[in-house]
Amino acid sequence: MSKKVKLFTHTDLDGVGCAIVCRSFFGVDNVNVDYCDYNEINTKVTNFLNEGTDEYDAIFITDISVAEEVAEKINDTAADKIMLIDHHATALWLNKYDWATVIVKGIKGKESGTSLFNEWLQVHMSNIRTNPMLSEFAELVRRYDTWEWKTRYGVLKPKKMNDLLYIIGRERFVARPHEFEYFTTNFSANEELLLELEAEKESAYIEKKKSEVRRLVVEGFTVGIVFADRYLSSLGEEIAKVNEDIDIVAMVNPPKAVSFRTVKSDIHLGEFAQKFGGGGHAKAAGCSLNVNSVNSLGLAAYLW
């Protein structure tokens, strides 16, 4: 009998990659996915637990973590059904629970949610036959999420995959979970044209935003503030590279979130973002845009 699965996962390529992996293992019709940002995950999981978990045989939380209060609720009510799989250093404390696996680095280097989830399922669901290209797809996602596509491999395919997600939208992107040739081999001529046009738009957008950066001192760091709603990883890296005095780039996207980027080795953005209710990696993190973060980051003068 087919398993019915609930998945809570992040909204970026790595989170979407987890959804594709899950659908590949359990079947499209057997997986119900909730895509969650950091400001939503705790509420969504709590409401789900309050409604009861009897409908599902397995529940996964991937590429995102929960607060301690929610973790305790999971432990008390659904520890036998839930598995949380994450790769953010700020979530390592969750490893004290039997139902959580948080690994920052593996054999290949830095992990991603998709790579960890695929590996976990390959071990624990080895009786299920999956597309042989699934692991190759998971590796491409890992390379994008860790930025190794640029720093280690110098291959554009992972970035193109991420760009395509935002060009065609999440629903179209995940609609072909068993056709991994779509991701792991050459893109079609039409897709390549879309990607070329997108690259031109990205370059122009970054050049414009580089001239709009304003500086603040937050928690002892020089923070470059810019309003931006797209190309955040590339934009943050470029601003940081051309402004050596800036420790952290904060890209504000009202009314949703603030994304942080840095290229400095002595700064851990995940820990920085935690002070404002967020989290993330050492070089990339984020938090919700709310009264607390606005006041703590000194953004009020920029927003009102």
Side-chain angles (χ1 to χ4, degrees):
M1 188 173 73
S2 300
K3 283 182 174 290
K4 192 165 184 184
V5 175
K6 178 70 177 180
L7 173 67
F8 296 92
T9 192
H10 199 201
T11 56
D12 63 358
L13 174 65
D14 196 19
V16 173
C18 291
I20 290 174
V21 166
C22 193
R23 285 157 58 109
S24 180
F25 267 89
F26 298 107
V28 173
D29 295 333
N30 298 322
V31 179
N32 180 278
V33 183
D34 248 328
Y35 295 97
C36 311
D37 279 318
Y38 289 105
N39 63 327
E40 302 171 314
I41 182 64
N42 291 308
T43 299
K44 286 189 173 184
V45 171
T46 298
N47 290 342
F48 174 78
L49 293 174
N50 288 339
E51 291 170 2
T53 64
D54 292 344
E55 182 181 352
Y56 295 96
D57 300 297
I59 303 153
F60 296 100
I61 303 171
T62 59
D63 193 41
I64 196 165
S65 60
V66 296
E68 187 165 7
E69 179 182 350
V70 181
E72 285 297 317
K73 187 175 182 67
I74 290 172
N75 207 51
D76 292 339
T77 63
D80 59 331
K81 277 191 176 182
I82 287 184
M83 188 68 200
L84 182 146
I85 298 174
D86 195 13
H87 65 117
H88 298 94
T90 50
L92 283 169
W93 63 273
L94 282 162
N95 281 326
K96 67 181 180 180
Y97 298 105
D98 292 338
W99 47 265
T101 297
V102 182
I103 302 173
V104 178
K105 287 186 178 181
I107 296 174
K108 292 183 178 179
K110 294 179 181 178
E111 291 284 6
S112 73
T114 301
S115 61
L116 284 174
F117 193 28
N118 177 57
E119 290 164 8
W120 191 92
L121 289 171
Q122 295 281 2
V123 171
H124 293 86
M125 302 290 172
S126 58
N127 60 311
I128 299 176
R129 294 184 63 184
T130 59
N131 190 303
M133 300 187 80
L134 178 59
S135 293
E136 186 176 345
F137 165 75
E139 172 61 10
L140 288 173
V141 176
R142 187 194 72 81
R143 291 184 186 184
Y144 180 78
D145 200 65
T146 62
W147 216 241
E148 286 185 9
W149 69 270
K150 186 173 186 178
T151 61
R152 184 176 177 184
Y153 294 98
V155 177
L156 278 173
K157 187 176 289 294
K159 183 182 186 301
K160 285 185 175 183
M161 196 163 65
N162 180 74
D163 289 348
L164 193 63
L165 165 62
Y166 290 98
I167 292 171
I168 68 175
R170 183 192 300 151
E171 295 308 313
R172 288 189 180 93
F173 194 80
V174 302
R176 299 154 76 180
H178 298 296
E179 298 180 20
F180 292 105
E181 293 81 358
Y182 178 63
F183 301 112
T184 55
T185 60
N186 294 328
F187 297 107
S188 71
N190 287 337
E191 290 165 347
E192 287 289 0
L193 177 58
L194 287 173
L195 290 165
E196 182 180 343
L197 293 172
E198 187 69 9
E200 292 174 1
K201 287 166 56 179
E202 178 179 342
S203 180
Y205 185 85
I206 289 173
E207 284 304 309
K208 178 178 181 292
K209 289 298 175 181
K210 280 162 59 177
S211 66
E212 298 176 3
V213 179
R214 303 173 73 175
R215 289 162 173 77
L216 287 175
V217 176
V218 181
E219 298 287 330
F221 297 107
T222 298
V223 179
I225 305 287
V226 64
F227 287 89
D229 62 355
R230 66 197 76 173
Y231 314 125
L232 300 182
S233 292
S234 299
L235 175 61
E237 183 188 35
E238 185 64 20
I239 290 174
K241 282 170 58 179
V242 300
N243 296 279
E244 293 184 1
D245 64 307
I246 291 178
D247 300 312
I248 297 168
V249 180
M251 292 161 287
V252 184
N253 182 18
K256 298 179 181 178
V258 184
S259 296
F260 303 110
R261 298 292 187 277
T262 188
V263 296
K264 297 192 174 180
S265 59
D266 59 341
I267 297 174
H268 195 296
L269 286 183
E271 297 174 358
F272 179 80
Q274 275 190 317
K275 298 176 181 179
F276 314 109
H281 301 289
K283 304 306 174 196
C287 68
S288 300
L289 190 61
N290 52 40
V291 173
N292 174 52
S293 59
V294 166
N295 291 334
S296 300
L297 288 165
L299 296 175
Y302 295 89
L303 295 172
W304 299 300

